[in-house]
Amino acid sequence: MESHEGPDEVIWDITYACPLRCVHCYSESGRRPARRLSEDGMLRVAEAIAAMRPHGVSIAGGEPLLIPNLIQVIERMAAAGLKVAVYTSGWLMDHDTARKLADVCDKIVVSVDGATPEVHDRIRGRQGSFSRAMRALTILDEVGAERPLNFGIDCILLQSNFQQMELFCETIAPRFGHLRFVAFGAAVPGGLASRARFDEHELLTEEQIKQLNDPGHAQRLRALAPASVTVGTTDNRILQMHPELVARGIVFNVLQIEPDGEVRAMPIYEGTVGNVLSDPPDVLWKRAKARWSDPFVTNALSGVKTMKQWAEAARLIDQRFGTTAVRERISRRPEFPVL
Ligand code: SF4
């Protein structure tokens, strides 16, 4: 049988525009140019992704619902047999959009980073974002009552929401009768979450990571949520691309694409290896894989054990492989305010 030589999954940050200003945003969306392509350019990226034959595609950003021809772009990939997931803050969701998404998507994921408005709105950097996310989930729930719809919640775990996992399962999940899943994942040191001070004050402590990985903890969460809801937890360490794991083939086999088609060598670190609009997919994939075992990368990551060390390594990798423009953007990042 012919082996699949490309990425298992593709993530496309379709725009860097976003109405929110999350403290942990890995793509710094809303604070930088959107780099959104023309409608024709987006369709060409969609075709290039389809040519890679991944199992699935996640459309993220930025806020995908800001893209006027989003449905057409997804249709293009779905027509090629790809399963498409859309990640949204829910800020712009309405019934018409939800129904159109339901027609073409395999999965719709609403990001909720707090089980209470105070916690969510503070993390997401905009007042009212919790109620907009709950409204989006209500709309999806109503559409889910009309037809089968795979939708759920994704929660990025930080120190300031870690204690709310139970509350999510007990009070948020039961509000939506057709909700399929709640996914809890530790924040990783990419983008704004790689800032010094953020690592100490918001990335999970080693004790919290241990708790997150405890099977008993996941079981307790599952018991608190409605039986129809799948609850998942992950420390997201697979995103680190630690050289020992890469050598053992335990890797995040994902190609991440920036809005204009530039391809990241590794999803959470700066540094691109070409563009899907000009370079053949197999060449891009080979270049990306070569980066995983680049001596600078292996050297930076080989001693990493803690989140703080991971953040330090991420900052080194970003400086080494980011362009001058990327390094300038990094230098303009605001310091993480510790209250
Ligand atoms: S909603 Fe997503 S893309 Fe927008 S600022 Fe938050 S993390 Fe970034």
Side-chain angles (χ1 to χ4, degrees), residues 108-328:
I108 303 168
V109 188
V110 180
S111 302
V112 186
D113 287 345
T116 55
E118 298 70 34
V119 171
H120 175 97
D121 288 1
R122 190 190 64 74
I123 292 172
R124 298 240 130 203
R126 187 150 179 192
Q127 281 264 320
S129 57
F130 180 81
S131 69
R132 295 282 276 249
M134 292 301 112
R135 187 171 166 273
L137 287 163
T138 302
I139 291 169
L140 291 168
D141 201 39
E142 287 164 5
V143 174
E146 299 165 3
R147 54 193 298 176
L149 179 61
N150 184 17
F151 77 100
I153 292 172
D154 183 74
C155 172
I156 301 289
L157 293 171
L158 302 169
Q159 289 185 26
S160 57
N161 66 9
F162 190 78
Q163 300 305 335
Q164 291 202 322
M165 275 185 279
E166 284 83 358
L167 208 53
F168 262 99
C169 295
E170 279 177 319
T171 65
I172 304 287
R175 285 171 65 171
F176 312 104
H178 300 88
L179 186 82
R180 299 271 184 94
F181 59 89
V182 178
F184 296 105
V188 299
L192 293 179
S194 68
R195 286 175 292 174
R197 290 170 23 124
F198 190 89
D199 52 11
E200 283 168 48
H201 293 275
E202 279 293 15
L203 292 182
L204 298 189
T205 64
E206 295 316 300
E207 193 48 45
Q208 287 170 327
I209 292 282
K210 209 166 130 198
Q211 192 184 335
L212 188 63
N213 288 333
D214 175 358
H217 172 67
Q219 258 172 19
R220 280 193 296 282
L221 293 178
R222 277 179 212 121
L224 291 172
S228 55
V229 175
T230 303
V231 179
T233 56
T234 172
D235 64 9
N236 276 324
R237 291 248 179 181
I238 189 98
L239 288 164
Q240 191 180 103
M241 307 298 278
H242 194 284
E244 273 173 25
L245 294 183
V246 171
R248 286 161 50 203
I250 304 170
V251 289
F252 192 50
N253 237 7
V254 169
L255 198 76
Q256 178 125 3
I257 303 176
E258 299 185 350
D260 56 6
E262 284 289 305
V263 170
R264 290 260 181 133
M266 296 181 285
I268 74 152
Y269 307 117
E270 297 286 351
T272 56
V273 291
N275 192 300
V276 288
L277 295 179
S278 53
D279 299 297
D282 56 330
V283 171
L284 290 169
W285 187 234
K286 263 188 207 139
R287 287 183 196 154
K289 286 181 81 168
R291 180 71 55 81
W292 305 353
S293 47
D294 178 281
F296 188 93
V297 172
T298 55
N299 200 32
L301 291 171
S302 58
V304 169
K305 293 207 166 36
T306 65
M307 276 287 189
K308 190 167 168 46
Q309 290 167 342
W310 184 2
E312 283 159 9
R315 293 195 288 269
L316 288 175
I317 294 170
D318 288 353
Q319 288 295 328
R320 167 67 183 78
F321 293 103
T323 59
T324 305
V326 166
R327 287 196 294 272
E328 281 172 8

Side-chain angles (χ1 to χ4, degrees), residues 17-22 24-31 61-63 89 111 124:
C18 187
L20 305 190
R21 297 289 182 272
C22 303
H24 54 63
C25 186
Y26 75 94
S27 59
E28 288 178 73
S29 291
R31 297 134 159 130
E63 175 51 66
S89 67
S111 302
R124 298 240 130 203

Side-chain angles (χ1 to χ4, degrees), residues 22-89:
C22 303
V23 288
H24 54 63
C25 186
Y26 75 94
S27 59
E28 288 178 73
S29 291
R31 297 134 159 130
R32 61 192 290 193
R35 283 175 52 198
R36 185 174 110 188
L37 289 170
S38 66
E39 295 196 355
D40 179 59
M42 284 188 220
L43 292 174
R44 288 197 294 131
V45 171
E47 276 158 18
I49 292 172
M52 292 178 198
R53 296 183 298 117
H55 302 310
V57 184
S58 293
I59 305 289
E63 175 51 66
L65 300 194
L66 285 168
I67 303 294
N69 67 326
L70 178 68
I71 300 299
Q72 194 192 8
V73 170
I74 296 173
E75 263 171 353
R76 189 65 62 99
M77 292 187 279
L82 305 189
K83 292 186 175 217
V84 183
V86 168
Y87 285 73
T88 174
S89 67

